Amino acid sequence: MSDFTMVATAPLDGYAKDFDGVSLAEITNRAIISIATPAGGEAHLAKAVKSAFGTTLPNIGGSQSSTFSNGQFLGLQQGQTFFVFEHDAPNALEIVAEQLKDAAYLSDQTDSFVMLTISGKNARLALERICLIDLHPDAFSIGRVARTSMEHLSVIIKRTDEDTFFLMSPRSSALSFLHVLETSIHNVT
Amino acid sequence: MTQKNRIDGGLIDRNEPISFTFDGRQFEGYSGDTLASALLANGEKLVARSFKYHRPRGIFTAGSEEPNALVHLRRGAYLEPNTRATVAELYGGLEATSQNFRGSLKHDLMAVTDVFSPLLSAGFYYKTFMWPKAFWEKIYEPIIRSSAGLGRLSGEEDPDIYDKGYLHCDVLIIGAGPSGLSAALAAGRSGARVILCDEDFRFGGRLNAETFEVSGMSGTDWAMETIAELAAMDNVRLMPRTTIYGAYDHGTYGALERISDHLPTSGNKPRQVLWRIYSKRAVLCAGSTERPIAFGNNDRPGIMLAGAVRTYVNRWGAAPGKRVAIFTNNDDGWRTAHDLAAKGVEITAIIDSRECAPLSAPAGAAIIMGGQVVDTKGRHGITSITLANGQQIETDCLAVSGGWNPNVHLTCHQRGRPVWRENIAAFVPGGDIPTGMMVAGAASGELTLASALKQGHKTANSVVKDLGFKPSRKAVSKAEDEPVEVSAFWHVKASKSRAWLDLQNDVTVKDIKLAYQEGYRSVEHLKRYTTLGMATDQGKTSNIPALAIMAECTGKTIPETGTTIFRPPYTPIPISALAGRSRGKNFRPMRLTPSDKWAKEQGAVFIETGMWMRAQWFPREGESHWRESVNREVKQTRNSVGICDVTTLGKIDIQGRDAAEFLNRVYANPFLKLPIGKVRYGLMLREDGIVMDDGTTARLGENHYLMTTTTANAVSVFRHLEFCAQCLWPDLDVKMISATEQFAQFAVAGPNSRKLLQKIVDTKFDISNKAFPFMACGEITVCGGLPARLFRISFSGELAYEIAVPARYGDAMIRALMEAGEEYEVVAYGTEALGVMRIEKGHAAGNELNGQTTARDLGMERMVSKKKDCIGNVLSERPGLNREDGLSLVGFQPVDRKLELKAGAHFVAKGNPANTENDEGWMSSVAFSPIHGHSIGLGFIKRGHERLGEIVQAADPLRSRNIEVEIVSPHFIDPEGERLRV
């Protein structure tokens, strides 16, 4: 038995706050695994995903849900999908690898990002100050995913509901990202 | 005070009086007023002094084109100079002060420059201050600088906050006058996403200034009804107080929204927001700007544009004068007379430069057809005008109309050139306007109300149809076409007094003629020589008359003479708005290492390395100098064990069947045969053979590698690898992703590092020297099962490891390592000690990999494998990079050990003068070595490896130093690398 206990810390210590018409909260119980498609292995991977997770891989800019740990596949770029699912322990890679075996190149990205949800009737108004892409429901409907940047920080954004967005940004600059979001919320509420 | 010139009517709320001050005097206006309209209502004519001659000036226009009425608004740190009184919305407690004078506004001591005006003609300082040469810097320039500048800054940090934002729409409509409203209605009704912007706080444009009817109701009422309909549409966003200041590529427009400039305070919310608007189409409905006629002393307070006079009377119920004369070259001037007369203002005379039959005029007004005003009188406000026939007419306001210029500016922001239209004697948008932009209404040259409404409607319908929407079948609102006949008439030649063209820069007709005489005939040269069209108004009222006069001088036509290039911004944008929230610490994001919290608890001193905040050293009680801390950290690491957070180094996860081949191509040294469980140092070249970066790459599995890069090049190396994979070798099966953020990584260095780690690493993993030798790597578990990675690599030159755990355990890991190391008196070390140790060891870092050095310079030429191809291989063979007398990286120490070396010093052979001809290289890195007890350095010098033991000069003329240094091996400790392998 080790003499040392390793306790995980969240990038924002589990931040959650309500503002006028906006709620902002850190998500801490999700794992992120990057799934890269081997050259020529598209069909093999699609089959493996279908078999293991009961769904298909999304197109770039789209997402697919899975009943596997309430998972979401995010289509980010050619040959790269992120699988985001409910999982707390540091063995997420092992779990997905067991499912997909050699069908994909996997990389644990859980600790690479801070994850937040921003929701409420003023959420879009706040994002308007920092998000370059068009978040109008006609242009960015529920389930859509995009890589973008906000105040020089790279961000992955997914619309999860009419007024709810899931955001991922690099972990090391999590405090700056929080500041960016809080400033935007302050400026519009 | 009473509002002595306030008359009936207007779109002001008389139930809401507002108090304000101007130059410390208390006045009253109404909600809906601008500062200018309130000052006029109070009978204030003199509001400013001109820039060059300090001439008394009044309000000239009723909009953003105002050249004269610039004031300081607010006070203290909130003070903003050069605010145009004509667009400053009145609010309770507004404080305005006049600017650009010494003494008082009425008695300006600098007005003496007007007396010397014959000596101060265009370009005077180019001619006057030629000699004696020595006077320029010490006398002339300070005097000119103290007189120059419009307004003054508070000198304090701007306490307001500003923001930026991004908007998207199908159709952006720029301007909410008749054509803009008509266009917005048509576009909005089709269901397209519409943004309607106007710089004014009240939508309606000229409809608010005129007495026209639309669809059987007053223009103002029609505007209000239209706005109400638009406001009820979910697909339409109305943005008053918003100026579209620039038209950029791909339908992108810059906009400044003034959120709280009309309020006493911003309430800790953004004062202004700078928007980037992405549009599929834009309809420019920017209207037109009236232009003056130049005649003698046409700059006196009380001389105004006729349309502005009408606006003050109709919109604001403020009469600029009680006895008004009108000087016009077009039909529009006559409408001013009727509107004023309808409000009870006496019209003394209508002087029309045209030789034609007079239009109908108010009773009592003298009508002079073919007449010209040659001069005016009245120091602080006009009192009379003199006509060409010598007739003198008393007046307290002269309304001047020289015709209207379509506001074509935004059509020219991508180098489009406007074209001349003779019937309105004005430039209209040319054919090469920004892609996706259409122009409607007065901005297109359609100067009548009915045509503006029609064109706005038609253009919007055409645009939405083009975008796939179904245009509404509702008909366009109806109005009459008013007369707009004009004859080109730019200046009164018979005037003997100075006739002003550019009121803001005090440029006269004579200045233009002088510029012509002196050879400045291009309009661009004219602008720069005379300052015509510069400063806040950018010549909106002056450019066209001035170039018409230049055309007269050159004998060319106006279109042949052309205009200057219109560039963004259309109207001034505060620098603070451009900065937005990117101020101070918010200028850029900050990246924190996983041990940041722990390091702060230890009182670490931090340093910015790129965006990262890294611990530089960890001071302890009793240490009074940073070097004491650093020396302790170095010594204790070399004697026992030290720990450093090295998370910031770039980490790139590389996988694929062809990953080994890929690495073999991007690195100069071979990577095909790197065994699983081993790490190799890699040198990466640019295509031109220069060193790009270095680092290590570990083989974690058959098709799985982890590359490390320097902190500085983490992004550029990743980008380079992606380029190679996607563009150079798309046939290779290789995928990569950044893992920099994923792992918290710590260097554990020193003779006791293994012992320390054995307390952390789970016992099933053998990390003895035999089982886990130098350059080994492996995936392990620590502290009872936590997945981790261990690399036996060393930057310090000691027995050392780097251990990586998922970043969420970084804080726990540093605490565990420090606790485990207590028995070895472990120290945390920062970037400073890291740097000292790498210099002692002779490792190259960023200072040495500066984008100019080659593998040969670094003494690594043998790493560039000749048995395989790699990026940079061929060009590294260039003769220039392989000269016999090329640079070599070597070590340096001062001959006098007490002296300190300085990075940046250049090497010169002993006895030679320290100049560029004798330059033999430079010192790239220096440190105080606590092991040796003196300063040491690394640097590049010609044939360095052949010159060990030679004494040269380290010349540092910038810091007035020149010391003797000895060339030594770059390895100040353990040259054989024995410590690494124990």
Side-chain angles (χ1 to χ4, degrees):
Chain A
M1 189 67 189
S2 171
D3 293 339
F4 306 99
T5 310
M6 302 299 276
V7 178
T9 53
L12 298 172
D13 293 330
Y15 173 95
K17 201 167 175 181
D18 290 327
F19 304 82
D20 179 19
V22 189
S23 295
L24 186 62
E26 184 180 11
I27 300 169
T28 55
N29 62 343
R30 305 275 169 90
I32 307 164
I33 300 297
S34 163
I35 300 171
T37 317
E42 292 80 2
H44 182 39
L45 177 58
K47 198 173 163 192
V49 167
K50 183 77 185 166
S51 156
F53 301 108
T55 187
T56 54
L57 286 175
N59 293 325
I60 298 166
S63 62
Q64 288 289 354
S65 302
S66 166
T67 51
F68 185 97
S69 298
N70 202 15
Q72 288 283 322
F73 288 87
L74 313 182
L76 297 178
Q77 66 185 50
Q78 195 173 353
Q80 190 186 68
T81 305
F82 273 11
F83 182 46
V84 184
F85 61 105
E86 285 177 2
H87 188 75
D88 247 348
N91 63 338
L93 187 68
E94 214 175 290
I95 288 169
V96 178
E98 273 170 22
Q99 301 296 322
L100 295 181
K101 299 192 171 55
D102 62 348
Y105 302 129
L106 305 177
S107 176
D108 194 342
Q109 293 281 305
T110 309
D111 294 76
S112 296
F113 293 93
V114 59
M115 290 173 269
L116 290 146
T117 52
I118 182 169
S119 57
K121 65 182 169 63
N122 289 329
R124 221 176 99 203
L125 217 53
L127 289 173
E128 206 171 70
R129 298 292 171 94
I130 46 176
C131 181
L132 283 80
I133 62 170
D134 188 358
L135 297 180
H136 190 278
D138 292 350
F140 196 72
S141 51
I142 294 170
R144 286 290 302 275
V145 174
R147 276 185 191 271
T148 182
S149 77
M150 297 183 189
E151 290 289 286
H152 309 289
L153 288 166
S154 68
V155 176
I156 294 169
I157 181 169
K158 175 179 181 249
R159 186 183 214 121
T160 54
D161 209 337
E162 195 173 334
D163 286 327
T164 307
F165 298 87
F166 170 71
L167 307 169
M168 293 165 58
S169 192
R171 179 186 178 105
S172 66
S173 44
L175 278 175
S176 290
F177 187 49
L178 179 64
H179 177 76
V180 161
L181 290 165
E182 284 187 326
T183 304
S184 302
I185 294 167
H186 167 84
N187 286 354
V188 301
T189 55
Chain B
M1 285 184 72
T2 58
Q3 299 180 50
K4 63 182 185 181
N5 282 2
R6 185 68 78 182
I7 57 176
D8 289 343
L11 303 172
I12 48 173
D13 185 353
R14 289 171 199 260
N15 295 319
E16 203 180 319
I18 288 175
S19 290
F20 69 100
T21 63
F22 177 64
D23 280 345
R25 290 178 297 145
Q26 191 86 22
F27 294 100
E28 202 165 83
Y30 293 116
S31 174
D33 262 326
T34 61
L35 174 60
S37 67
L39 286 170
L40 287 172
N42 284 278
E44 288 294 306
K45 278 197 176 146
L46 173 63
V47 296
R49 287 279 172 170
S50 73
F51 174 54
K52 188 170 164 187
Y53 299 123
H54 290 254
R55 305 256 303 175
R57 292 284 164 80
I59 292 155
F60 188 61
T61 73
S64 63
E65 69 272 29
E66 175 62 28
N68 277 346
L70 306 182
V71 297
H72 290 134
L73 206 62
R74 304 181 195 262
R75 63 154 68 178
Y78 291 94
L79 181 141
E80 186 164 77
N82 301 324
T83 304
R84 288 152 294 164
T86 49
V87 293
E89 208 172 329
L90 205 64
Y91 56 83
L94 179 148
E95 288 178 83
T97 48
S98 51
Q99 58 185 46
N100 209 37
F101 58 82
R102 286 185 196 170
S104 69
L105 177 63
K106 208 162 185 180
H107 305 287
D108 178 9
L109 300 174
M110 290 298 285
V112 71
T113 53
D114 200 24
V115 178
F116 295 109
S117 61
L119 302 174
L120 305 175
S121 58
F124 75 96
Y125 40 74
Y126 301 131
K127 305 166 191 166
T128 314
F129 301 111
M130 297 292 285
W131 56 267
K133 200 177 166 188
F135 273 34
W136 175 252
E137 256 185 56
K138 298 216 163 84
I139 296 174
Y140 298 148
E141 194 182 351
I143 292 171
I144 292 168
R145 284 201 181 280
S146 73
S147 311
L150 278 170
R152 65 181 163 81
L153 296 166
S154 70
E156 296 176 54
E157 189 179 342
D158 187 342
D160 276 315
I161 56 177
Y162 299 81
D163 208 357
K164 292 187 186 177
Y166 308 89
L167 297 175
H168 302 257
C169 62
D170 295 313
V171 187
L172 169 66
I173 295 168
I174 304 163
S179 58
L181 288 175
S182 184
L185 261 187
R189 284 169 177 166
S190 77
R193 286 168 64 194
V194 175
I195 293 176
L196 175 63
C197 298
D198 198 290
E199 62 182 355
D200 204 335
F201 56 91
R202 186 183 179 105
F203 281 173
R206 292 292 311 165
L207 290 172
N208 296 327
E210 309 287 6
T211 52
F212 298 137
E213 285 196 348
V214 181
S215 293
M217 63 181 97
S218 78
T220 308
D221 288 346
W222 178 84
M224 286 173 68
E225 197 173 87
T226 303
I227 294 155
E229 184 180 340
L230 290 169
M233 296 180 186
D234 286 341
N235 55 322
V236 176
R237 183 170 184 144
L238 302 177
M239 297 181 71
R241 302 185 178 94
T242 303
T243 304
I244 301 291
Y245 64 80
Y248 302 96
D249 290 344
H250 312 300
T252 307
Y253 290 82
L256 180 75
E257 184 178 13
R258 290 167 291 277
I259 303 279
S260 64
D261 281 4
H262 62 296
L263 302 173
T265 67
S266 58
N268 197 31
K269 296 288 178 186
R271 177 192 160 206
Q272 297 175 338
V273 177
L274 200 78
W275 294 102
R276 188 187 299 178
I277 302 179
Y278 301 94
S279 71
K280 291 177 183 161
R281 297 286 186 278
V283 185
L284 180 69
C285 302
S288 55
T289 301
E290 197 169 19
R291 61 198 181 210
I293 298 169
F295 53 87
N297 287 314
N298 61 334
D299 64 329
R300 298 192 191 282
I303 300 176
M304 301 170 66
L305 290 173
V309 172
R310 211 156 64 229
T311 306
Y312 286 113
V313 167
N314 289 333
R315 176 170 171 179
W316 285 296
K322 293 191 185 302
R323 303 185 70 236
V324 179
I326 291 157
F327 182 27
T328 183
N329 68 354
N330 62 82
D331 294 350
D332 196 60
W334 293 76
R335 196 161 61 247
T336 307
H338 284 288
D339 285 7
L340 266 60
K343 291 287 174 74
V345 178
E346 181 188 343
I347 305 299
T348 57
I350 301 172
I351 303 109
D352 193 325
S353 64
R354 297 174 293 179
E355 296 280 4
C356 60
L359 305 183
S360 79
I367 308 296
I368 300 110
M369 296 308 293
Q372 295 179 2
V373 177
V374 293
D375 206 352
T376 68
K377 285 190 178 158
R379 181 70 186 156
H380 292 139
I382 186 169
T383 53
S384 70
I385 56 173
T386 306
L387 306 187
N389 60 8
Q391 184 185 352
Q392 202 157 333
I393 299 169
E394 288 191 3
T395 184
D396 58 357
C397 174
L398 176 63
V400 183
S401 180
W404 292 77
N405 289 327
N407 290 327
V408 300
H409 308 72
L410 285 156
T411 68
C412 304
H413 280 184
Q414 291 170 34
R415 308 292 287 189
R417 305 309 299 249
V419 295
W420 185 253
R421 189 185 288 177
E422 201 62 47
N423 69 322
I424 57 169
F427 281 104
V428 296
D432 49 353
I433 66 176
T435 305
M437 181 191 277
M438 311 277 272
V439 191
S444 74
E446 295 299 318
L447 296 179
T448 67
L449 176 58
S451 61
L453 291 168
K454 263 185 245 163
Q455 204 186 14
H457 180 84
K458 195 177 159 192
T459 306
N461 274 345
S462 143
V463 159
V464 296
K465 195 174 171 192
D466 195 30
L467 292 173
F469 295 92
K470 193 176 173 190
S472 156
R473 289 188 160 192
K474 285 199 175 177
V476 64
S477 302
K478 294 274 191 286
E480 294 289 320
D481 272 328
E482 66 277 21
V484 288
E485 291 304 309
V486 64
S487 72
F489 182 73
W490 310 107
H491 70 120
V492 177
K493 291 179 186 166
S495 286
K496 293 199 173 108
S497 306
R498 281 175 294 169
W500 307 87
L501 286 165
D502 186 332
L503 295 172
Q504 189 157 91
N505 291 289
D506 278 346
V507 180
T508 64
V509 171
K510 195 178 160 193
D511 289 327
I512 305 296
K513 291 179 176 172
L514 183 68
Y516 166 73
Q517 279 172 19
E518 295 184 352
Y520 296 94
R521 292 166 193 185
S522 146
V523 286
E524 296 290 355
H525 292 163
L526 173 71
K527 173 175 178 170
R528 280 144 193 92
Y529 191 60
T530 62
T531 69
L532 174 95
M534 293 185 176
T536 68
D537 72 336
Q538 288 288 295
K540 288 189 177 61
T541 57
S542 62
N543 279 345
I544 302 299
L547 67 89
I549 290 161
M550 179 54 95
E552 275 178 22
C553 294
T554 58
K556 291 180 179 174
T557 63
I558 293 175
E560 281 170 345
T561 305
T563 63
T564 52
I565 297 282
F566 297 112
R567 297 185 180 88
Y570 173 66
T571 50
I573 306 293
I575 297 292
S576 298
L578 293 170
R581 53 168 91 163
S582 304
R583 290 164 56 173
K585 283 192 172 176
N586 296 322
F587 181 69
R588 60 179 183 180
M590 195 180 282
R591 299 176 79 181
L592 304 180
T593 62
S595 64
D596 183 76
K597 187 178 171 195
W598 176 84
K600 280 182 182 136
E601 288 168 12
Q602 308 309 308
V605 173
F606 288 86
I607 185 170
E608 288 180 36
T609 50
M611 287 193 280
W612 288 102
M613 294 300 292
R614 297 189 73 182
Q616 199 171 8
W617 63 84
F618 295 84
R620 282 193 184 164
E621 209 175 324
E623 290 172 345
S624 57
H625 190 278
W626 65 270
R627 197 188 278 169
E628 282 181 65
S629 310
V630 174
N631 289 351
R632 173 182 48 76
E633 290 169 14
V634 171
K635 281 181 180 169
Q636 189 59 11
T637 300
R638 295 217 184 278
N639 291 334
S640 181
V641 59
I643 294 169
C644 182
D645 190 330
V646 293
T647 304
T648 62
L649 292 173
K651 308 177 203 77
I652 303 170
D653 187 89
I654 301 170
Q655 299 188 56
R657 296 186 298 273
D658 298 318
E661 174 61 25
F662 179 75
L663 289 167
N664 206 43
R665 293 184 192 183
V666 294
Y667 274 132
N669 48 320
F671 266 83
L672 274 181
K673 293 180 182 166
L674 178 67
I676 293 171
K678 284 288 182 185
V679 185
R680 183 169 291 170
Y681 175 81
L683 188 70
M684 207 177 279
L685 305 183
R686 301 191 314 221
E687 198 69 79
D688 63 1
I690 300 289
V691 173
M692 172 189 261
D693 198 54
D694 71 345
T696 60
T697 288
R699 188 168 189 180
L700 300 172
E702 182 61 30
N703 296 325
H704 191 187
Y705 294 79
L706 183 77
M707 177 187 283
T708 64
T709 72
T710 56
T711 300
N713 287 331
V715 173
S716 56
V717 168
F718 188 83
R719 190 188 303 133
H720 172 66
L721 297 187
E722 280 290 0
F723 173 79
C724 292
Q726 292 183 35
C727 304
L728 301 184
W729 312 308
D731 51 318
L732 294 186
D733 178 43
V734 60
K735 304 286 176 186
M736 66 204 79
I737 189 164
S738 172
T740 306
E741 303 270 343
Q742 175 65 20
F743 292 98
Q745 193 149 320
F746 299 95
V748 183
N752 285 322
S753 56
R754 183 184 298 123
K755 288 181 193 162
L756 187 157
L757 282 171
Q758 279 168 336
K759 295 170 75 176
I760 296 285
V761 174
D762 289 342
T763 49
K764 64 180 175 182
F765 297 97
D766 182 359
I767 60 167
S768 67
N769 192 37
K770 192 174 172 193
F772 203 80
F774 181 55
M775 299 305 267
C777 70
E779 294 190 284
I780 57 165
T781 60
V782 298
C783 302
L786 179 70
R789 287 171 176 173
L790 188 65
F791 309 88
R792 189 169 162 191
I793 50 178
S794 176
F795 197 45
S796 59
E798 299 297 330
L799 166 67
Y801 299 81
E802 288 187 14
I803 185 162
V805 291
R808 77 189 98 154
Y809 296 99
D811 182 74
M813 192 55 167
I814 183 69
R815 291 175 200 275
L817 288 169
M818 293 305 290
E819 194 183 330
E822 269 176 17
E823 65 175 292
Y824 309 110
E825 295 183 54
V826 64
V827 289
Y829 65 91
T831 54
E832 204 60 41
L834 182 90
V836 170
M837 288 192 278
R838 75 96 187 164
I839 294 170
E840 285 180 334
K841 180 61 183 169
H843 281 317
N847 291 14
E848 284 71 41
L849 312 182
N850 67 349
Q852 295 173 292
T853 51
T854 64
R856 189 174 183 275
D857 298 342
L858 293 162
M860 298 180 186
E861 62 270 36
R862 279 183 296 177
M863 286 188 74
V864 184
S865 171
K866 301 301 168 195
K867 294 180 184 166
K868 60 152 188 152
D869 195 11
C870 72
I871 289 180
N873 196 346
V874 173
L875 290 179
S876 71
E877 301 275 331
R878 285 179 289 165
L881 302 183
N882 293 281
R883 291 159 55 116
E884 283 295 309
D885 63 347
L887 298 168
S888 302
L889 179 67
V890 286
F892 295 88
Q893 57 189 18
V895 172
D896 179 349
R897 300 283 197 268
K898 293 192 292 299
L899 295 178
E900 200 175 90
L901 300 179
K902 296 277 185 190
H906 278 248
F907 301 121
V908 176
K910 225 175 149 183
N912 280 350
N915 56 32
T916 50
E917 283 77 25
N918 296 323
D919 185 9
E920 294 199 71
W922 70 94
M923 190 88 78
S924 51
S925 300
V926 298
F928 178 83
S929 166
I931 303 303
H932 291 283
H934 61 78
S935 191
I936 60 170
L938 297 176
F940 295 91
I941 190 167
K942 288 177 181 172
R943 296 183 293 102
H945 58 283
E946 296 170 14
R947 297 166 69 179
L948 299 185
E950 186 181 330
I951 310 291
V952 295
Q953 304 173 68
D956 194 356
L958 281 178
R959 285 170 286 205
S960 305
R961 279 168 55 96
N962 190 335
I963 64 169
E964 290 190 340
V965 294
E966 183 187 352
I967 304 174
V968 295
S969 158
H971 309 296
F972 291 90
I973 60 143
D974 192 26
E976 302 304 322
E978 289 165 1
R979 296 186 193 181
L980 305 168
R981 294 175 171 83
V982 293

